[in-house]
Amino acid sequence: MIEKNIIDALYKKINELTGKSEEEMETIRLDEPPSLDLGDYSTNIAFRLARVLKKSPMIIAEEMADSLKSENIEGIKDIKAVNGYINFFLDYNSYSKKGVKKILDEKNNFGKGEEKNKKIILEHTSANPNGPLHIGHSRNAIVGDSLKRVLEFAGYKVETQYYVNDMGRQEAIVVFGLDKFELDKNKKPDHAIGEVYVETNKLLNENPELEENILDLMKKYEESSEKNEENEITKKFEYAVNYALKGFKETLKNLNIKHDKFIWESSYVKNGMVREVIKNLMETGKVEKDEVYRLDLSDFGIEKKLVLARLNGTSLYSTRDIAYHIDKMKNCDIGINILGADHKLTAEMVNASLKLLGYNTPEIVFYEFISLPEGSMSTRRGRFISIDELFEEAKTRAIEEVKKRGVATDEDEINEIAHKIATGAVRYNIVRISPEKPMVFRWDEALDFEKVGCPVIQYAHARCCRILENGMNNDNNDNGNIDINELFDYELNDNEKILIKTLLKFPKVVEKSADVRKPQIVANYVLDVAQAFNRFYGNCPILKEENHNIVHSRLKLVECTKTVIENGLNILGIECPGKM
C-alpha cells in the first residue's frame, strides 16, 4: 500500500509539471537504495523528466522532494533528493505496528492472493515406469510440486497430473522381461521393475532378433486398447505399470509430493482421440507419406517433420501426446508442463500441432540436468542414483546432525526431526536454483546449517519457537493480549527495520513467483528472512532488554518471523521441525 501511495503521489506531481495523464506517462518503478541511510524507496524519475522540463535532474529532484513533502504520503516520514534521485523514508513506528498486526491477524493466510477463478492443469514428473525415480527426475517433481503450491497460494485452482507412458518401447521391454526374469517381491516395487528392465536390455543386446517380440507386444497392446478389450496382453501391461507406480508414489510421498490424477497414455487410444487427431491432421494437407506418415511444421519455423504414425497403423508417442494435450487444454484455463531441456524440440512440435488444429498451447517450464559429483546416469544400464537413495542418505546425515547437536534423545523424535530436515534438504537445495541452470547436487550445500541450506531456515524457525516459549515464562513479559498500537514506540535500529521490511515483502514475492512461474523466488526469499532474523537476533536483545515496550515489540517480530517462515516453507513443501 505504501508503494502504491508513493507512486500515486508521483503520478499526480508529474501531471502538475507536464500536464500528462497517468496513461500517457511511462511506468514508474521504485527501487531500494543500497542502505537505509539513503532511504527505503528511490525513484530516478527526475532523470526521465530532465529533457521534458529542460532542467537538470538535481534541480527537478530537489523541487519534487520539497513539493511531495506537503502531500503527507501515508507511511512516509521523510523525502530527500540525493544526486538527482528522490528517496523516501518509511515511518517505521507506524509501518511496524500495521505490518505486525497484519501478519498476526492473517497468520497462515498472510501472503495469500485473492481467488483468481482460473484453473491450471500442471503436469510434472511423468517418468517412464521402467525403474526407480532417479535424481534427474527429482528436479522435475520438486520444481513441479513447488510451483503448484505457489500458484495455489497465489489464488489459482491447480490440478496436478502425471502422464503415464504405458505404450512405449520401454514398457514393452519390461512386460517382455517379466516373462523371462523373476520379479523380486522383497524389493521396493519400482526398484524390482528396474532390475527386470536392466536384465532384459542385456538380453536384447545379446540377442537382437528378440526385438521383433518387443515390436509385436507394442502393436498388440495398441490394437487391444483401440478395441477397448481386456486380454492377457493388456493385463500384463497394466500390472507392470501399476507395480512401478506403487513404488513411485511411495518415493514422492517422502518428499511431500502427491499428484491429483494419473492419466494413462493408452486412454487416448481407447477413447478414439488418437485416431481423430491423426484424421484431423491428415485433413490439414500438411502430412506426407513415405515409410511413415510425417507432419510438415515448417510454417511454424520447425524444420524437422513430426512422425505421426507408422504404416502398419500403430501410433507414436507424439500423436498420443497431442491427444493428451487437446484433452488437457479443453479442461483448463492455463496448462503448464515441466519438461527437461532435452524435450524442447518435441514440445515445440506438439505445440505447433495444437496451433494447427486451433487449440491453445501449454506454457512450458524447462529444466536442465541435475547430477551428483560422481557423474551421469543411465536407467537402461542400471547406473543411476535413485531418489530413494538420495533421501536415505540425507536422512542418515540429518540423524547424525540431530544427535550431535543434542536436539532430542527419544529415537522416534530424532527420526521425525531428521525426516523433516532430510525432506527440506533435498527439496530446498533443488528448488532454490533456477531450473534453466544445470546443477550438481552437493551434500555440503544441502545440509548446510550455517549459510545456504534449508537447515538455516528451519533452525531460524526453531529459534523463534524457543524464544517465544521462553518469552511466555519470562518475568519481564507481562505481554498477555497487549494492543499492537502500544508497541514500537521507540527508535527501531536497522536490524529491526530490515527484518520487518523483509517480512512484509512476502505477499509481493508470492505474487511475482506465481506470475513468472519461478518457485525459486520464494525459496531464496525465505532464506533472506532467516538471515535477516539471525542478524536481528544477534544484535537486538529480546528477553534481556529492560524496556518492556521493546521486549514486547521484539517478541511480536519473532512471532511474525515464525509465521512467515512457516508459510514460505509450506509453499515449498517443507515442514518445520520446531526443534533443532
Side-chain angles (χ1 to χ4, degrees):
M1 284 303 297
I2 290 174
E3 289 180 18
K4 185 179 183 302
N5 293 343
I6 295 170
I7 288 170
D8 287 347
L10 285 167
Y11 276 128
K12 181 184 172 188
K13 197 57 57 183
I14 295 167
N15 171 255
E16 291 172 6
L17 291 169
T18 66
K20 288 185 178 181
S21 66
E22 186 175 324
E23 291 72 28
E24 295 173 300
M25 297 178 210
E26 291 180 49
T27 302
I28 295 175
R29 192 184 78 243
L30 295 178
D31 297 310
E32 286 191 38
S35 77
L36 290 176
D37 293 339
L38 294 171
D40 297 282
Y41 295 106
S42 177
T43 177
N44 66 353
I45 194 68
F47 290 91
R48 289 155 61 184
L49 289 171
R51 184 178 296 177
V52 179
L53 299 177
K54 296 182 171 52
K55 292 181 182 178
S56 79
M58 280 70 166
I59 293 172
I60 295 170
E62 290 282 357
E63 291 175 350
M64 285 186 73
D66 288 342
S67 179
L68 284 164
K69 285 178 185 177
S70 63
E71 297 290 330
N72 294 318
I73 301 170
E74 187 180 349
I76 297 300
K77 188 176 184 178
D78 197 9
I79 304 170
K80 294 180 182 177
V82 181
N83 297 325
Y85 291 87
I86 305 170
N87 292 0
F88 300 83
F89 294 76
L90 286 169
D91 177 352
Y92 272 97
N93 298 101
S94 167
Y95 180 70
S96 302
K97 292 180 204 290
K98 291 177 181 177
V100 164
K101 185 176 188 306
K102 182 175 175 64
I103 296 172
L104 296 179
D105 284 349
E106 296 181 11
K107 294 186 172 64
N108 60 351
N109 287 319
F110 176 66
K112 265 192 176 180
E114 292 181 8
E115 197 171 314
K116 304 284 192 296
N117 291 318
K118 283 189 176 181
K119 180 183 177 182
I120 293 175
I121 292 181
L122 194 161
E123 181 211 338
H124 70 82
T125 310
S126 301
N128 289 323
N130 61 339
L133 296 173
H134 58 61
I135 187 172
H137 299 128
S138 68
R139 197 168 200 187
N140 190 320
I142 289 167
V143 169
D145 184 68
S146 300
L147 181 55
K148 174 220 178 186
R149 291 166 180 269
V150 168
L151 291 166
E152 280 186 332
F153 204 75
Y156 292 95
K157 181 182 178 184
V158 186
E159 178 183 293
T160 48
Q161 293 186 356
Y162 188 119
Y163 184 52
V164 182
N165 309 130
D166 63 311
M167 299 196 77
R169 182 174 179 275
Q170 283 111 324
E171 202 53 38
I173 290 172
V174 172
V175 170
F176 180 70
L178 286 172
D179 284 338
K180 302 289 181 185
F181 303 101
E182 189 176 351
L183 191 65
D184 190 343
K185 296 290 183 71
N186 294 317
K187 292 192 172 174
K188 191 164 170 282
D190 48 333
H191 287 260
I193 288 287
E195 287 185 356
V196 169
Y197 181 70
V198 171
E199 289 303 315
T200 310
N201 269 297
K202 288 178 185 173
L203 181 67
L204 291 171
N205 287 336
E206 292 164 5
N207 304 276
E209 71 278 3
L210 293 177
E211 188 63 37
E212 283 299 318
N213 298 75
I214 305 300
L215 296 173
D216 188 52
L217 274 173
M218 291 168 66
K219 189 170 186 297
K220 285 179 178 175
Y221 184 47
E222 181 162 358
E223 287 171 352
S224 300
S225 297
E226 202 162 24
K227 294 173 186 172
N228 237 324
E229 64 183 27
E230 190 176 307
N231 54 37
E232 189 181 352
I233 295 285
T234 60
K235 286 178 181 176
K236 283 181 176 180
F237 271 84
E238 286 168 13
Y239 173 80
V241 172
N242 279 320
Y243 200 75
L245 288 179
K246 183 182 176 184
F248 286 2
K249 290 174 185 177
E250 188 182 324
T251 299
L252 293 170
K253 186 180 177 183
N254 272 334
L255 294 174
N256 296 332
I257 297 171
K258 184 177 181 292
H259 288 81
D260 298 310
K261 286 184 180 178
F262 285 77
I263 310 291
W264 286 44
E265 187 182 3
S266 57
S267 64
Y268 296 102
V269 175
K270 290 177 181 178
N271 66 16
M273 275 192 73
V274 171
R275 283 284 156 220
E276 189 181 341
V277 164
I278 293 172
K279 174 179 169 290
N280 291 342
L281 286 170
M282 291 280 195
E283 289 172 356
T284 64
K286 300 289 183 182
V287 176
E288 303 167 1
K289 178 183 175 183
D290 43 50
E291 69 274 13
V292 289
Y293 292 103
R294 301 178 193 275
L295 179 64
D296 182 356
L297 296 169
S298 56
D299 289 350
F300 299 92
I302 299 171
E303 294 299 318
K304 188 175 180 182
K305 292 179 173 62
L306 177 69
V307 181
L308 281 183
R310 301 178 184 91
L311 292 183
N312 67 4
T314 55
S315 62
L316 282 96
Y317 176 85
S318 54
T319 330
R320 301 188 288 268
D321 204 20
I322 294 167
Y324 165 58
H325 278 89
I326 288 172
D327 183 40
K328 180 160 59 178
M329 298 310 295
K330 279 181 179 178
N331 289 290
C332 67
D333 300 293
I334 301 167
I336 301 175
N337 297 343
I338 313 294
L339 293 174
D342 55 329
H343 287 76
K344 276 186 180 176
L345 177 60
T346 305
E348 286 171 3
M349 293 171 96
V350 168
N351 277 1
S353 303
L354 290 172
K355 288 175 186 173
L356 193 60
L357 295 173
Y359 292 100
N360 292 332
T361 58
E363 300 173 24
I364 303 171
V365 176
F366 288 109
Y367 66 92
E368 283 291 345
F369 296 110
I370 178 174
S371 61
L372 289 168
E374 290 83 356
S376 61
M377 296 164 284
S378 166
T379 307
R380 183 169 58 84
R381 294 193 295 275
R383 193 179 75 229
F384 56 83
I385 301 295
S386 71
I387 297 179
D388 296 320
E389 291 171 279
L390 186 74
F391 181 77
E392 284 307 314
E393 178 67 17
K395 190 169 178 180
T396 299
R397 294 182 184 221
I399 287 172
E400 288 174 8
E401 284 287 343
V402 171
K403 287 181 175 177
K404 185 173 78 178
R405 292 165 183 267
V407 177
T409 52
D410 179 77
E411 283 299 321
D412 288 340
E413 189 179 12
I414 289 170
N415 199 55
E416 183 185 346
I417 292 170
H419 187 98
K420 290 175 181 177
I421 293 173
T423 302
V426 173
R427 285 194 65 133
Y428 185 80
N429 197 45
I430 287 171
V431 78
R432 72 184 177 88
I433 305 293
S434 298
E436 63 272 15
K437 293 180 181 177
M439 73 167 288
V440 177
F441 188 95
R442 300 185 190 280
W443 287 111
D444 56 342
E445 292 174 355
L447 285 164
D448 180 4
F449 277 72
E450 308 298 333
K451 293 178 184 176
V452 296
C454 188
V456 174
I457 304 165
Q458 291 171 318
Y459 188 69
H461 175 270
R463 179 171 272 163
C464 289
C465 294
R466 191 173 70 248
I467 292 168
L468 293 170
E469 189 179 322
N470 291 338
M472 292 299 294
N473 302 320
N474 192 280
D475 292 338
N476 201 18
N477 181 27
D478 54 3
N479 196 358
N481 296 314
I482 192 163
D483 187 347
I484 295 291
N485 292 317
E486 295 175 16
L487 301 181
F488 300 103
D489 287 335
Y490 60 94
E491 182 61 37
L492 280 71
N493 75 26
D494 283 0
N495 292 291
E496 290 172 288
K497 290 177 181 178
I498 290 169
L499 178 57
I500 186 63
K501 194 174 171 185
T502 304
L503 294 174
L504 289 171
K505 287 179 183 176
F506 186 50
K508 200 171 179 181
V509 165
V510 171
E511 183 184 2
K512 182 180 178 183
S513 181
D515 285 348
V516 298
R517 318 296 196 230
K518 291 184 176 180
Q520 71 267 24
I521 292 174
V522 173
N524 289 303
Y525 163 78
V526 185
L527 182 61
D528 288 344
V529 171
Q531 290 171 339
F533 172 74
N534 289 339
R535 288 191 294 271
F536 158 79
Y537 176 79
N539 293 282
C540 303
I542 303 173
L543 300 178
K544 291 182 179 178
E545 172 62 51
E546 293 182 0
N547 183 314
H548 280 215
N549 192 283
I550 295 177
V551 173
H552 301 326
S553 301
R554 288 177 178 170
L555 279 172
K556 290 301 180 187
L557 262 183
V558 172
E559 192 176 342
C560 288
T561 303
K562 176 178 176 288
T563 296
V564 172
I565 289 177
E566 284 171 1
N567 291 358
L569 287 184
N570 185 53
I571 286 177
L572 301 173
I574 298 168
E575 296 175 273
C576 299
K579 287 174 69 175
M580 280 182 77

